[in-house]
Structures are given as C-alpha cells and as structure tokens.
Amino acid sequence: DAKTARGSVVWAMLLIGLFYIMTTFLGFGAATILTPDRIVVDGKPNDNMAAPLLAQALGGEVFFAFISAVAFATILAVVAGLTISASTSFAHDFYTNVIHHGRERAPGEEVRVARVTAFVVGALAIFLAIQLQTINVAFLVGLAFAVAASANLPVIVLSIFWRRFTTAGAVWGLAAGLAASILLIILSPSI
C-alpha cells in the first residue's frame, strides 16, 4: 500500500545517504592514513584502490580480502541487476509496447529479444570497462549520475507541472535530457 511504499522510500533514502556520507569518511581516512603516495598498485598511482588499501593498512590481509570480496560481490550484483533490468525493460517496454503496440508476434519472442539485449548490454559494458579502466571510478559514477539526472529531470518536471503531458512527451523529454548530457560530457575538457 501507499504507506508502506513511503516508508520504504524513507528507509532507502536514509541508507543511501549514510552510504554516501561514509564514502566521504573513507576518503578522508585514506588521505590521512595512507597518504597519496601509498595508494599505488604495481608502481602506478591508482585512486580506485584507496578503500581496499585502507582496509589493508587498518586490518591486515584478512580485512583486505574481506573488503575485496564485498566489493566484488557488490559489483557483480549491480551489474547483474542492471543487465536484467535493461534487457527486460527493452524487450517488454520498447520492443513489445512501442514497436509492436503491445502485441507479441510469436510466443517467446519477448524472451528472445531480452536475451539478445542482455548479450548486447554485456558486450557494450565489457568494451567500455576495458576502454575506461584507467579512469577514476568516482568520476565515472559522477558521470552516470549526471546522465541519469539529466534524462529524468525533464520528465519529472513536466509530469508535475503540465496537465497535458503524454507518453510521447516523456520519451522526448528523456531523449532530450540524455542527448544533452552526453553531448556536454563529450565536449567537456575532462574527458
């Protein structure tokens, strides 16, 4: 019901907020305890290893292994969830409902489209991960948040303030926000 949904949203906001506050303290801890010259992997500076190296400095090899295992499991769960979400959303929402106007042409076609989409999303993710492996993960997360916020904000604002807001308007709002954010990222001096 609505009351339970609101409670879930409040709990999610609290937990996510605490997580992001903790990343600030982890950063300060790594900067203080490790110093930038000790955040090195194979003789090269690597900001992405600050948390595991901080765990190693504070708790030794066992704590380092534990934090590495938690990070690996978290990344694996997030990637699996995003792949499943992207493939099912594309197959059901876009392929079936937009292209075929809500009708499957053959039994099991939506499942086949979801499988192909999962493969394409996975291949694209692997390609991008290989190309961007030297870039700081925090910077990439910031880019992902910027793209998501830019794509969703026009739709949220228009759905609240425009009475005649339609599905076509939502699609165009998402497309415009997404295109604008990606264009600005490409043109930015940081990449």
Side-chain angles (χ1 to χ4, degrees), residues 72-107:
F72 179 75
T74 303
I75 291 167
L76 193 62
V78 168
V79 169
L82 288 173
T83 303
I84 290 169
S85 175
S87 63
T88 56
S89 294
F90 181 83
H92 179 73
D93 297 337
F94 187 74
Y95 184 78
T96 301
N97 290 328
V98 174
I99 294 175
H100 294 290
H101 306 292
R103 292 180 298 276
E104 260 189 304
R105 292 188 317 180

Side-chain angles (χ1 to χ4, degrees), residues 1-14:
D1 60 352
K3 183 179 178 185
T4 306
R6 281 192 293 274
S8 297
V9 168
V10 169
W11 276 106
M13 286 172 41
L14 285 172

Side-chain angles (χ1 to χ4, degrees), residues 13-136:
M13 286 172 41
L14 285 172
L15 292 172
I16 292 167
L18 285 173
F19 171 76
Y20 282 107
I21 289 170
M22 287 205 39
T23 59
T24 303
F25 290 115
L26 281 172
F28 286 143
T32 304
I33 294 171
L34 293 179
T35 66
D37 57 319
R38 287 183 53 201
I39 304 175
V40 175
V41 176
D42 295 331
K44 300 178 197 165
N46 190 336
D47 295 336
N48 296 329
M49 289 296 292
L53 290 175
L54 178 62
Q56 186 178 33
L58 294 176
E61 297 297 323
V62 173
F63 197 43
F64 174 77
F66 174 75
I67 294 298
S68 298
V70 167
F72 179 75
T74 303
I75 291 167
L76 193 62
V78 168
V79 169
L82 288 173
T83 303
I84 290 169
S85 175
S87 63
T88 56
S89 294
F90 181 83
H92 179 73
D93 297 337
F94 187 74
Y95 184 78
T96 301
N97 290 328
V98 174
I99 294 175
H100 294 290
H101 306 292
R103 292 180 298 276
E104 260 189 304
R105 292 188 317 180
E109 183 179 31
E110 196 171 296
V111 174
R112 280 192 300 278
V113 171
R115 288 178 179 164
V116 170
T117 304
F119 177 78
V120 171
V121 166
L124 182 63
I126 291 169
F127 173 76
L128 288 173
I130 290 170
Q131 297 301 315
L132 302 173
Q133 65 182 331
T134 59
I135 295 179
N136 189 330

